[in-house]
Every structure is written in C-alpha cells, then in structure tokens.
Amino acid sequence: MPFHADGDDVGVLLCHGFTGSPWSMRPFAEELARAGRTVALPRLPGHGTHWRELNETTWMDWYATVEQEFNVLRRSCRQVFVVGLSMGGALALRIAERYGDDVAGVVLVNPAVHSTDRRLLALPVLRRVVPSMGGIGNDIKKVDVVEHGYARTPLRALVSMIALWHDVRSELHRVRQPLLLFRSATDHVVDPSSARIIAAGVSSDDVVQVVLQHSYHVATLDNDAPEIFRRTAEFLAQHRAGLDEQAG
C-alpha cells in the first residue's frame, strides 16, 4: 500500500492519518507523481492491517517512519515539501519543526493537533478497561467513496496520538516555512480548534488557509480533492520558482 515515485528534484512526503492508510492519500500522491515530482507515501506502523496491531505502536514509531522517508528524499532532492492529512498533519509539522530550512513548505489537510471533545479526558482510565471504541474513519461527503480505515479506534494508540499533539503544539513556533492549510467547513472528526492553534502558533510569514465547502474530514478523497491537488501544485511551483531564482 505504500507509494513511491521517482521524479524531479522536488520531493514530496505525504503522511496519512490515524487509523487510516496510504489509500486516503493515494490519489494525491499519484497526481503529484504525474506532475513529475519525487513522491513518498509510507504506511505508518500499525496502520493498514488490524487495529490491534496499531495498539502495539506509539507516535514515536509513526514519526520514525516519516522521518526516515524524509531523509531519503532529502538526500536525493534539492527541495522537500511535507504534506499531512489529519494526524499526518501533526507528523508533517514535527518534521518542519525539527528540520527547519530543509523543509521547503508544509501542506496540511484537516490537520489534528488538539480536540475539544471532553470524552478524551476519560482515556487514561478507559484504556485500562477496554482496548478500543467505535471507529472515526470514512467521514466523506462524496457518495460511494470509502477510506478503508479501521472500524475500531485502539485506545492505547489514541492516548499516544494525544501525546504527539502536545509535543507538536509545544514547538509550533519553530515552523517558519510557507504553509498551505486546507480546512473543511464541516468536519465530523477534527474540530476547528486545531486549525486555529496552528495558524496562531507558527512563525511562518506565508500562511494561506483554504476552507473546503464540499468535503468532510477525508477531503483528499472527497469532492474538493481536485481543488486540493490544484492549489498544492501551485504552491509547490511557486516555491520551486524561488529555488530556480536562487540557482540563477
């Protein structure tokens, strides 16, 4: 299920979301590859198999996979952009926080770094009683489109994801790269607090927010996917132009 494509000297690393798989980002990755970019879309540990396997992993495992893919791209490309959906947005932000100028830009689609859902306060106790709860996947407005995420949400892994959120939020000021942030007007998984926290917390001079009116959470498979792909291509081209000017 992972996807890789060799292209030009602009690399793009895509990170899928919690309990999901590369399937949710596959059309996005393929579109970037058709445009000639060098693309990496890894499968995060514990994902794309069974939710019980995800419960045996932590956010550090997920981040280690993303970081490894980033370093492969960094060695072969002049520029690397990071792209994240949902929790993948948190992983992309952490790469931007840690690698500074080695990241040319950040693209986020309904990123998750916080939740106002008070039910999460019970997690430290609940995870010791039951291993999982109902799934959060397949929040898609477009008819007959399936995300292929887990039907259950593993609670130990969920607690670890919240720890990732805390880590990323504490270092948001280190994000100085150009940022393109897509947010669905209606999202049944991630509430608007994440986008507000990110926009207010980063130090980037170039921040563009786009509100998606016709998609739910998994917008990369939804009605607004073509707009996401188009605007991302323009974002990459804009900052690739800056690279060409420097080279000239």
Side-chain angles (χ1 to χ4, degrees), residues 171-190:
E171 301 288 343
L172 275 176
H173 63 278
R174 297 178 62 179
V175 176
R176 301 182 182 277
Q177 301 88 345
L179 173 63
L180 175 60
L181 193 160
F182 296 97
R183 177 177 63 82
S184 294
T186 302
D187 186 331
H188 304 100
V189 177
V190 174

Side-chain angles (χ1 to χ4, degrees), residues 34-88:
R34 280 192 292 270
R37 305 309 185 194
T38 297
V39 179
L41 170 56
R43 179 182 67 84
L44 301 179
H47 292 77
T49 54
H50 191 280
W51 66 262
R52 293 186 186 277
E53 183 176 333
L54 180 54
N55 239 357
E56 301 303 317
T57 66
T58 71
W59 75 262
M60 288 175 280
D61 300 314
W62 316 328
Y63 178 74
T65 294
V66 168
E67 186 176 44
Q68 180 179 6
E69 294 279 357
F70 173 77
N71 281 317
V72 170
L73 288 173
R74 190 165 61 129
R75 287 192 291 269
S76 61
C77 298
R78 292 179 64 199
Q79 277 188 319
V80 181
F81 293 82
V82 290
V83 180
L85 167 67
S86 195
M87 179 198 71

